[in-house]
Amino acid sequence: MNKPLILVVEDDSTVRNLITTTLKSNDYRYISAPSGEAAIGAASSQQPDIVFLDLGLPDIDGVEVIKRIRSWSQMPIIVISARSEDGDKIAALDAGADDYLTKPFSVAELLARLRVTQRRLAALGGTSAESVFRNGKLTIDYGAGCAYFGDAPLKLTPTEYKLLCLLARDVGKVLTHTYLTDKIWGSSWESDMASLRVHMATLRKKVEKDPDVQYIQTHIGIGYRMLKVE
Ligand code: CA
C-alpha cells in the first residue's frame, strides 16, 4: 500500500513542525502550507489523501478553505482548532470537515484521528454500493429497512432508524447537531435539538446492549459519531 500523503495547513511553525515530525516518524508522507491560499493550491495540485487544517489562518478563514475545497473534492479534512474557536469548529463540520482536533492535542490523539479517517475511507471505498451495513454486532439491512443487534431485530422508531442510518453512512465521522436535525426535520430549531437528544438517547439504549462496547459517541456541544467497532 502507498503511504498516504497528508497536507498540513498551519501558520504556527511550532505546531506545524510537531505535526510534520510526528507524520514523518510514523511513516506518512506530508506536504505543508502556512496559509489558506497555499493550502487550496497544494490541495488541488498535490491531491493529498487527508488534510489537517488549522482554522485560524492569516489570509483566509479555515471554514472558507473547506468550502472552496469541497466545491471540487471530498478529500477528508481534519480541522485543528483552539478551544476558543468552538463555534468555528462546528461551522467547519457543517461546511464538510470530517473530524477535528482541539489544541493542545497529543501526538497519540493526532495519530488516532488519522487512523479513524483512514478506516472510514477504506469502509467507504469497499461498501458504498452494498445494501447491508455491518459494524461489530450491528447490522443494517437497507433493503428491508431494518436493523439487528446480533440476530435480534432492533425495534426502532422511524426517526431512530433514520438517525442510525445517517451515523452508519459516515461511520467514524462526527456529525453535528445541525447536520442531523436538518437531515431529519429539515430545520435546526432549539426544539429540534431537544428532540434529537431524546431520540439519540433512546436509540443508544437500544443499540448499545453490550455495556463494554460503545457504538455511538457524544461530542458535547457538537454532535455524535458512530465508532468503528472491531
Ligand atoms: Ca493558526
Side-chain angles (χ1 to χ4, degrees):
M1 201 177 103
N2 271 345
K3 293 178 191 174
L5 178 65
I6 319 288
L7 169 59
V8 180
V9 186
E10 169 65 77
D11 58 316
D12 180 333
S13 59
T14 312
V15 180
R16 196 172 63 231
N17 288 340
L18 168 72
I19 298 174
T20 55
T21 306
T22 303
L23 292 175
K24 196 173 176 183
S25 58
N26 285 276
D27 236 20
Y28 289 97
R29 294 180 300 141
Y30 68 87
I31 43 177
S32 59
S35 70
E37 289 294 353
I40 291 165
S44 73
S45 64
Q46 310 281 319
Q47 298 283 323
D49 296 296
I50 296 172
V51 182
F52 273 110
L53 175 69
D54 177 33
L55 284 183
L57 294 168
D59 53 349
I60 40 178
D61 188 65
V63 175
E64 184 58 30
V65 174
I66 296 168
K67 288 180 184 161
R68 301 254 294 264
I69 291 178
R70 279 289 168 268
S71 68
W72 51 269
S73 169
Q74 287 304 312
M75 64 178 66
I77 300 173
I78 302 172
V79 157
I80 304 169
S81 71
R83 184 81 55 192
S84 60
E85 298 165 333
D86 259 2
D88 298 343
K89 181 159 72 189
I90 294 168
L93 290 166
D94 280 336
D98 293 86
D99 205 347
Y100 65 88
L101 269 174
T102 303
K103 287 182 199 172
F105 53 83
S106 68
V107 163
E109 192 184 356
L110 172 88
L111 293 170
R113 287 281 158 266
L114 260 184
R115 286 194 300 271
V116 165
T117 304
Q118 284 180 280
R119 276 205 298 267
R120 195 173 72 79
L121 274 183
L124 285 178
T127 59
S128 59
E130 285 180 17
S131 61
V132 175
F133 167 86
R134 287 197 180 82
N135 184 20
K137 288 184 180 169
L138 179 67
T139 305
I140 305 174
D141 183 339
Y142 293 117
C146 52
Y148 300 85
F149 191 82
D151 292 330
L154 291 172
K155 295 193 176 73
L156 303 179
T157 65
T159 301
E160 289 164 357
Y161 179 73
K162 263 196 241 173
L163 276 174
L164 186 66
C165 290
L166 287 169
L167 291 166
R169 194 179 64 188
D170 276 321
V171 63
K173 177 172 173 175
V174 181
L175 302 178
T176 63
H177 298 134
T178 308
Y179 175 88
L180 290 168
T181 55
D182 194 58
K183 287 280 179 205
I184 288 180
W185 295 292
S187 54
S188 44
W189 300 104
E190 198 47 51
S191 58
D192 298 322
M193 300 293 176
S195 302
L196 176 64
R197 277 195 293 277
V198 172
H199 289 289
M200 196 59 87
T202 54
L203 172 63
R204 291 184 72 163
K205 231 176 254 172
K206 293 177 185 180
V207 170
E208 298 188 324
K209 292 186 185 296
D210 189 344
D212 296 330
V213 184
Q214 192 187 18
Y215 283 84
I216 299 169
Q217 189 179 49
T218 301
H219 287 240
I220 294 167
I222 296 167
Y224 302 90
R225 175 209 306 267
M226 182 182 284
L227 300 172
K228 188 91 185 115
V229 177
E230 302 301 335

